[in-house]
Amino acid sequence: MPEARPLTPAGRRIVAAAEELFYERGITAVGVDLIAEHSGVTKRTLYNRFGSKDQLVAAYLTERDGRWRALVQAAVEAADSPAEAVTAPFEALRAWSEGHTRGCAFINALAELPDPSHPAYRIAADQKHWLRGLFEQLATAAGCADPAMLAVRLLVLHEGAVATQPLALGTLEPSADLARALVRAAAPPHGQAGDGDGDASG
């Protein structure tokens, strides 16, 4: 995740307003005039801080990414075993979904901003690569067979649950159950490295 200079109070208000508007209405549908109005600043202040709408979109996704990664890391650290830690992102998603009902902001951004040169594109794409890498790292720590392939399968399940969230199809719990079943099938026999004795990954 890219580093950003600390936001001023006005900058935080702008990003908060942008996040609400971009997520609820779509990135291309929202202009800087509306964001400035909602954040209580002038358009000049917005441009002085972020330079362009494109950079503001990048700042919005960066802030959101930081909160999501922190939530996932907390879920990983709370897991009772390395095997449970592998599916911790699904637990994080359950908590995250309580306040985010329009699907994944990063998938939405990639759909609206398909140009890889857009400053927000890399942030959205990196978020998915990071999650796949985390699944592989956790699966490796748990001693799972073929952790790279397992990570891809878990990512597909996770992202499918996120993408179908706005449809209220109840896909999160079945996806999490299937993810746990995949981890159990890939985990080493009981008593071998990575399967227990309270040695939680974190």
Side-chain angles (χ1 to χ4, degrees):
M1 184 173 59
E3 293 184 2
R5 61 181 178 174
L7 291 173
T8 63
R12 286 193 292 272
R13 292 200 306 275
I14 293 168
V15 172
E19 175 166 8
E20 178 182 353
L21 291 166
F22 287 150
Y23 186 64
E24 293 297 325
R25 305 186 188 187
I27 293 170
T28 56
V30 173
V32 294
D33 289 306
L34 185 60
I35 296 169
E37 177 186 343
H38 275 243
S39 56
V41 304
T42 64
K43 191 162 67 170
R44 180 175 180 176
T45 297
L46 186 153
Y47 279 119
N48 284 343
R49 176 59 185 85
F50 296 99
S52 67
K53 177 183 173 181
D54 288 350
Q55 293 297 333
L56 178 55
V57 176
Y60 140 62
L61 291 176
T62 297
E63 289 288 305
R64 194 177 183 93
D65 189 20
R67 295 199 307 276
W68 166 244
R69 294 192 192 203
L71 186 65
V72 171
Q73 186 59 38
V76 169
E77 293 173 354
D80 291 331
S81 70
E84 283 192 14
V86 181
T87 56
F90 289 87
E91 298 303 315
L93 181 58
R94 181 179 292 107
W96 182 267
S97 296
E98 293 176 1
H100 305 83
T101 58
R102 295 184 62 82
C104 177
F106 303 97
I107 293 176
N108 296 346
L110 289 169
E112 289 197 75
L113 308 170
D115 184 356
S117 68
H118 193 288
Y121 181 96
R122 180 171 58 85
I123 296 168
D126 283 353
Q127 196 271 343
K128 301 308 174 187
H129 288 290
W130 170 79
L131 185 57
R132 191 213 63 80
L134 179 64
F135 276 130
E136 183 174 355
Q137 173 189 335
L138 295 171
T140 299
C144 294
D146 199 352
M149 180 55 67
L150 178 59
V152 171
R153 290 170 175 168
L154 294 176
L155 181 67
V156 169
L157 286 171
H158 186 278
E159 296 306 293
V162 177
T164 55
Q165 180 187 35
L167 301 176
L169 295 174
T171 56
L172 177 54
E173 292 305 326
S175 296
D177 288 343
L178 183 53
R180 285 188 286 268
L182 288 173
V183 172
R184 285 194 300 270
H190 181 70
Q192 293 188 13
D195 188 33
D197 298 330
D199 183 19
S201 174

